[in-house]
Amino acid sequence: RLASRTPGAANALMSARGTSTLLKRLGGIAPERSLPVVAPVPLTRAFRPRPGTGRRVVLWPDTFTNYFAPRIGVAAIRVLRAAGFDPVLPRGAVCCGLTWVSTGQLSTARRVMRRTLRVLEPELAAGTPVVGLEPSCLSALRGDVPDLLPDPRAKTLASQTYTLAELLTQQAPEWTPTAVPRTAITQVHCHQHATLGFDADEALL
């Protein structure tokens, strides 16, 4: 909560020597590592919608992108607009529930997931794709949410959820990104390797 409301104070607190050491010890973080720095403005506040004629798509504001690396979300918005989409953010707070699933707190996870389905319900009913940048969240939206909730909206969400590369290759096949004459080494995210696949990303790259 402190990080979302006053990122400067949160960063100062976490960077203080005593606090930093304690947080690393409590979190099992190697002392040589630096704690993450909270972005001055989260993606959900930095986002500026603009009237668009492209196909509407919901960009999933995962916690990492929103609070720590909103520049990734901003870059994704630029790509989506260039490819002919009209990206929007959810109209309320959403969460995939993975934190609670991974710690066995399934009743809390279900409550969080139901809230997410309520927020997304109009977009799901309209057939709006949901595109995510964090494979862990997408894995939960496609697998954990329909597994834990006997709700037809959960299956709809799973079927309308895409990685950025999947959305671009499947729903904007005519769009071609600008060629960059570079060699890239990629490391596939563990959840993407296990549940989502990397074929679309390779094709786009």
Side-chain angles (χ1 to χ4, degrees):
R1 290 193 184 117
L2 176 65
S4 64
R5 293 175 185 171
T6 54
N11 288 329
L13 179 65
M14 290 192 298
S15 62
R17 178 171 292 184
T19 307
S20 175
T21 301
L22 178 62
L23 288 172
K24 290 177 187 178
R25 189 174 300 146
L26 290 173
I29 301 170
E32 297 83 7
R33 299 287 299 187
S34 299
L35 291 175
V37 176
V38 180
V41 180
L43 178 65
T44 48
R45 278 197 289 168
F47 177 73
R48 294 290 178 268
R50 69 183 192 191
T53 57
R55 183 179 177 189
R56 186 178 178 91
V57 60
V58 175
L59 179 64
W60 181 266
D62 66 87
T63 300
F64 178 82
T65 301
N66 190 37
Y67 291 112
F68 297 103
R71 66 188 183 280
I72 296 174
V74 171
I77 289 166
R78 289 178 60 194
V79 170
L80 287 166
R81 285 174 175 163
F85 292 97
D86 179 20
V88 298
L89 296 181
R91 295 178 181 176
V94 292
C95 178
C96 67
L98 181 60
T99 298
W100 292 275
V101 172
S102 62
T103 53
Q105 301 177 70
L106 299 186
S107 59
T108 302
R110 290 188 180 95
R111 187 166 66 248
V112 169
M113 292 170 179
R114 287 190 194 99
R115 183 189 67 203
T116 292
L117 290 177
R118 286 195 299 271
V119 171
L120 293 177
E121 187 168 15
E123 303 289 1
L124 297 177
T128 308
V130 177
V131 62
L133 308 175
E134 169 52 54
S136 299
C137 288
L138 292 180
S139 181
L141 294 176
R142 285 188 186 174
D144 296 315
V145 174
D147 284 348
L148 290 173
L149 294 181
D151 186 322
R153 296 174 301 177
K155 291 184 178 179
T156 301
L157 174 59
S159 68
Q160 291 176 204
T161 300
Y162 299 83
T163 67
L164 180 61
E166 287 172 343
L167 185 80
L168 293 172
T169 56
Q170 295 175 24
Q171 301 207 18
E174 70 288 345
W175 178 75
T176 303
T178 303
V180 179
R182 294 181 187 168
T183 299
I185 298 174
T186 61
Q187 178 175 332
V188 184
H189 188 287
C190 55
H191 276 101
Q192 188 159 2
H193 173 75
T195 64
L196 303 176
F198 194 66
D199 290 348
D201 299 76
E202 282 194 315
L204 191 64
L205 288 171

